[in-house]
Amino acid sequence: MSTSWPLWEVFVRGKRGLNHVHVGSLHAPDAEMALRNARDVYTRRNEGVSIWVVPATSITASSPDEKDPFFAPAGDKVYRHPTFYAIPEDVPHL
Amino acid sequence: MADDLELRFERTVQSEARIEPRDWMPDGYRKTLIRQIAQHAHSEIIGMQPEGNWISRAPSLRRKAILLAKVQDEAGHGLYLYSATETLGADREDLTTKLIEGRQKYSSIFNYPTLTFADVGVIGWLVDGAAICNQVPLCRTSYGPYARAMIRICKEESFHQRQGYELLMTMMRGTQQQRDMVQDSVNRWWWPALMMFGPPDAESTNTEQSMAWRIKRDTNDELRQKFVNMSMPQAEALGVTFPDPELKWNEERGEYDFGAPDWDEFWQVVKGGGVCNEQRIAHRRKAHEDGAWVREAAAAHAAKNAVREEGAA
Ligand SMILES: [Fe+2]
Ligand SMILES: [Fe+2]
């Protein structure tokens, strides 16, 4: 019987109001143990208020080799950024 | 096409951007990283032993709590780094096997024994201090997961060094016997600490390629000099001396001159001839083997639960 535990990716919410951010990975037999281990490995100094663990095999990622075409739809839509719009300097609160 | 990929890799590295796990990278780059990061991870794990030796004999509850927290941090450092090697396709089991079979190395500093409690302070001050010198530039290393692990580690190392220095300051305010104990410990650890930066640049075979790939950011000799410069004023403030008659300020260079470590001793310890090499590996092997039933039981428990949940659904 192979006893090497599956790999889990760990995401931590640093404080209320922030997104969960990927911090690393660890091995654990199940989700509950993965959470406990994540607490001990990645939040020994109050680095988080909430943790997600996700089986590494469940993550689908875009491939960097198709990077350009994959992100191309965003590339030519500069109008999605606020700096696209020229506003006179004396108009406040914009 | 291959040239294309290589060109993109080189450009990314040269522009100080980070290489990420799914990027194309040269085989040599991947191999060098796995070797270096694994060796680094093993050092953190083996590094728990010399200090762990004093946990049950710490002189106060305060010192015991601090030492426990420090040793636990070192376990965490090992895990961050193993996690980084796995993004390169390394297998955790395989790395552990290579360590306990002596096929991968760890820092030679941990093959020296901790004879007195002053060693706990000197390790924090000088050994963690040298590690910080080595590690701060690695926060800018070209491989993303390694750089991020180093940032986490460096944040925690500062506690390690300060608790060690504070411990020594306390002892230096004590009896003459305690002061002698600190000086004796410094005498034993100074040269091995200098060896932590690796062989002189002229003999360091991996440096050039690693610098080109921006895995390594400074040469061994540069870092060693920096460490000496940083440590001297700390030693003076503490009231101890380093066992090196050649150690003195060089006005012209604006740096300290210092003697050469005994490189024969260094190579002897690297090759397994240190006082504690066998003991360290035997201990790691025993811990791994003694833990086998826990790993098996937890895996069996998880498998049983998974089946049960499926039945209930
Ligand atoms: Fe460490
Ligand atoms: Fe440390």
Side-chain angles (χ1 to χ4, degrees):
Chain A
M1 174 179 144
S2 162
T3 51
S4 79
W5 294 341
L7 189 67
W8 303 75
E9 298 296 336
V10 181
F11 301 78
V12 170
R13 184 198 295 287
K15 58 179 184 191
R16 290 174 179 278
L18 297 182
N19 286 320
H20 283 77
V21 174
H22 182 247
V23 293
S25 66
L26 50 77
H27 288 269
D30 56 31
E32 199 190 325
M33 283 302 294
L35 269 182
R36 281 171 184 275
N37 290 351
R39 180 200 58 191
D40 293 344
V41 177
Y42 291 106
T43 62
R44 284 193 304 283
R45 289 176 175 75
N46 298 319
E47 288 96 335
V49 294
S50 159
I51 304 175
W52 288 346
V53 290
V54 183
T57 50
S58 298
I59 292 181
T60 309
S62 66
S63 164
D65 293 342
E66 42 182 283
K67 182 175 177 255
D68 291 341
F70 191 79
F71 291 102
D76 60 356
K77 295 183 179 60
V78 284
Y79 47 84
R80 285 179 171 167
H81 297 277
T83 46
F84 180 73
Y85 305 93
I87 305 285
E89 280 196 22
D90 50 2
V91 181
H93 307 308
L94 261 176
Chain B
M1 186 62 191
D3 288 352
D4 225 37
L5 291 171
E6 190 140 14
L7 200 68
R8 195 191 297 175
F9 169 85
E10 305 256 305
R11 258 195 225 133
T12 307
V13 167
Q14 240 117 70
S15 68
E16 287 291 319
R18 300 285 172 260
I19 300 297
E20 294 296 344
R22 286 162 60 91
D23 287 332
W24 182 91
M25 60 187 84
D27 272 350
Y29 179 81
R30 186 185 299 274
K31 274 193 200 129
T32 302
L33 274 172
I34 292 179
R35 184 176 44 81
Q36 180 173 331
I37 305 174
Q39 182 167 330
H40 193 161
H42 296 330
S43 302
E44 304 280 357
I45 297 297
I46 296 289
M48 290 191 281
Q49 292 183 39
E51 288 177 289
N53 178 34
W54 282 94
I55 290 175
S56 64
R57 292 177 290 160
S60 68
L61 189 56
R62 178 174 181 269
R63 291 292 168 201
K64 184 183 285 200
I66 292 170
L67 188 52
L68 260 178
K70 195 223 177 215
V71 171
Q72 191 192 9
D73 271 353
E74 305 300 3
H77 296 176
L79 295 179
Y80 306 156
L81 290 163
Y82 283 131
S83 160
T85 62
E86 285 176 288
T87 66
L88 291 159
D91 176 72
R92 176 81 62 91
E93 264 311 289
D94 180 53
L95 296 181
T96 304
T97 307
K98 282 184 173 139
L99 170 64
I100 59 188
E101 287 180 356
R103 286 186 287 139
Q104 272 177 349
K105 299 209 176 307
Y106 56 88
S107 176
S108 279
I109 191 82
F110 302 117
N111 290 318
Y112 291 84
T114 39
L115 303 180
T116 67
F117 192 71
D119 289 6
V120 171
V122 171
I123 286 178
W125 172 36
L126 293 179
V127 175
D128 288 85
I132 292 171
C133 256
N134 261 329
Q135 291 171 355
V136 166
L138 288 177
C139 295
R140 293 181 295 118
T141 194
S142 59
Y143 186 57
Y146 189 24
R148 293 191 285 276
M150 291 319 310
I151 290 170
R152 294 184 72 88
I153 289 175
C154 284
K155 274 190 198 155
E156 301 181 354
E157 285 297 345
S158 137
F159 144 60
H160 298 180
Q161 196 185 22
R162 290 172 70 103
Q163 65 82 32
Y165 195 78
E166 187 226 45
L167 189 165
L168 297 175
M169 286 196 319
T170 309
M171 287 187 81
M172 292 302 283
R173 284 195 301 266
T175 63
Q176 187 57 43
Q177 211 182 353
Q178 284 175 304
R179 279 189 287 278
D180 292 345
M181 197 186 271
V182 173
Q183 183 62 60
D184 165 71
S185 176
V186 171
N187 291 348
R188 283 182 288 110
W189 289 97
W190 173 248
W191 290 113
L194 287 191
M195 295 177 196
M196 285 175 69
F197 299 95
D201 292 348
E203 291 164 41
S204 175
T205 42
N206 301 322
T207 296
E208 206 180 323
Q209 179 62 75
S210 285
M211 298 273 283
W213 278 331
R214 307 210 181 179
I215 295 175
K216 214 173 151 141
R217 310 301 313 237
D218 304 89
T219 72
N220 298 352
D221 288 335
E222 285 165 4
L223 291 168
R224 199 171 0 253
Q225 176 74 59
K226 207 166 145 197
F227 175 68
V228 173
N229 294 345
M230 279 166 47
S231 301
M232 274 302 281
Q234 295 167 354
E236 279 163 18
L238 194 60
V240 296
T241 56
F242 294 129
D244 178 0
E246 291 175 53
L247 189 53
K248 60 171 182 296
W249 180 251
N250 183 321
E251 194 64 56
E252 222 168 282
R253 294 199 307 127
E255 304 193 281
Y256 286 93
D257 289 337
F258 58 100
D262 179 352
W263 292 114
D264 290 340
E265 175 186 315
F266 172 78
W267 289 115
Q268 195 188 324
V269 180
V270 167
K271 288 177 185 134
V275 177
C276 298
N277 293 58
E278 273 174 43
Q279 179 189 336
R280 300 292 186 235
I281 289 299
H283 187 85
R284 181 68 192 89
R285 177 191 287 277
K286 185 175 183 314
H288 187 64
E289 288 172 357
D290 288 353
W293 73 269
V294 180
R295 292 191 296 277
E296 281 165 24
H301 179 74
K304 198 173 75 186
N305 272 352
V307 171
R308 228 183 248 158
E309 262 166 46
E310 226 163 81

